[in-house]
Amino acid sequence: MNKKLDRRKKYTRKVLKESFIKLLAEKSISSITVKEICEMADINRSTFYTHYSDHYDLLDKIEEEITKDLSQYLNSYTFTIDEESLQMTQKLLEYITRNKFMFQTLLNKNGDPTFEQKLMEIAQSFMMKNWKTFNQVEEEQSRYLSTFVVSGAINVIKEWIEGDMGQTPKEMAVMINHFANYGVSYLDNK
């Protein structure tokens, strides 16, 4: 009996999340109602409220799930020093590709700006913990450098997502890493 209830809970949460994301792709969170989410999901409002306090809570839970999953995904890989930044960037882009619609929606103008900040924190934490380069400079410089690299990379990734991911994750990883390592001189060496 418990397995059946667990499956039902998972299904309910899944359709509520999917319905919410579809609505968020079309309009801002402030103009979405619980009623709309429930109608799209074909779920009663009382059932919605047994899982979430409101649609902002639902968004929070979706973002928590993604950031936790992304952290686990990135931490499941180990790289040699020579390949670490390229490989980590590629793995991140592969993850985004597999969850394309979710990232397109959460990083678009209707999404929650704090989600982008959460992604930055995950990437910065991973970089500062795992990359030898960041352990060789002062803590303050390391923090500024990681902020510079990660914010630039996230904005490039957003452009890539908006451009319907015309390049492969590997091509984008190479480009982002060249930008991070060589900046404007990358274009001179092309």
Side-chain angles (χ1 to χ4, degrees):
M1 186 71 169
N2 280 344
K3 286 184 181 181
K4 189 175 183 179
L5 284 175
D6 288 343
R7 259 196 343 248
R8 193 177 310 162
K9 276 185 179 179
K10 285 180 185 177
Y11 172 78
T12 300
R13 289 179 180 161
K14 179 180 180 270
V15 296
L16 287 170
K17 288 174 188 175
E18 289 172 353
S19 298
F20 175 71
I21 291 297
K22 286 177 186 172
L23 289 167
L24 190 60
E26 298 168 8
K27 55 192 196 174
S28 70
I29 188 168
S30 60
S31 62
I32 296 173
T33 65
V34 170
K35 181 181 177 186
E36 286 178 295
I37 298 167
C38 292
E39 285 174 356
M40 184 177 273
D42 198 24
I43 302 285
N44 292 327
R45 285 179 65 176
S46 60
T47 303
F48 177 93
Y49 288 115
T50 62
H51 297 278
Y52 308 103
S53 58
D54 58 20
H55 57 299
Y56 293 99
D57 182 38
L58 173 55
L59 178 61
D60 260 1
K61 298 294 189 276
I62 291 169
E63 290 175 356
E64 283 175 26
E65 188 178 298
I66 289 173
T67 55
K68 181 180 175 187
D69 188 44
L70 180 58
S71 291
Q72 289 174 341
Y73 177 77
L74 290 176
N75 287 316
S76 70
Y77 292 96
T78 53
F79 310 111
T80 65
I81 290 171
D82 292 339
E83 65 181 9
E84 65 189 8
S85 68
L86 180 64
Q87 292 297 315
M88 194 277 292
T89 306
Q90 184 175 339
K91 292 298 176 193
L92 173 65
L93 294 168
E94 288 169 356
Y95 181 87
I96 290 170
T97 301
R98 281 195 302 282
N99 298 284
K100 179 181 176 180
F101 185 69
M102 184 74 69
F103 278 93
Q104 280 177 323
T105 303
L106 292 175
L107 291 173
N108 79 11
K109 66 183 183 306
N110 294 330
D112 178 11
T114 61
F115 179 66
E116 186 174 326
Q117 183 62 38
K118 291 173 189 175
L119 291 180
M120 283 187 64
E121 289 168 8
I122 291 169
Q124 278 184 288
S125 170
F126 187 83
M127 286 173 75
M128 293 181 76
K129 182 175 75 177
N130 295 303
W131 291 4
K132 186 178 176 183
T133 304
F134 288 98
N135 296 320
Q136 295 173 347
V137 295
E138 291 179 31
E139 185 179 335
E140 184 178 1
Q141 286 181 335
S142 179
R143 196 174 62 249
Y144 288 137
L145 178 58
S146 66
T147 298
F148 179 79
V149 171
V150 170
S151 61
I154 285 181
N155 282 296
V156 168
I157 290 168
K158 285 172 65 174
E159 284 279 325
W160 177 61
I161 291 169
E162 289 172 17
D164 212 25
M165 300 177 169
Q167 296 81 12
T168 67
K170 184 173 184 163
E171 291 169 334
M172 286 304 298
V174 167
M175 190 183 313
I176 288 169
N177 279 285
H178 279 290
F179 290 161
N181 292 325
Y182 307 112
V184 177
S185 66
Y186 166 74
L187 297 174
D188 294 336
N189 295 326
K190 239 180 153 193

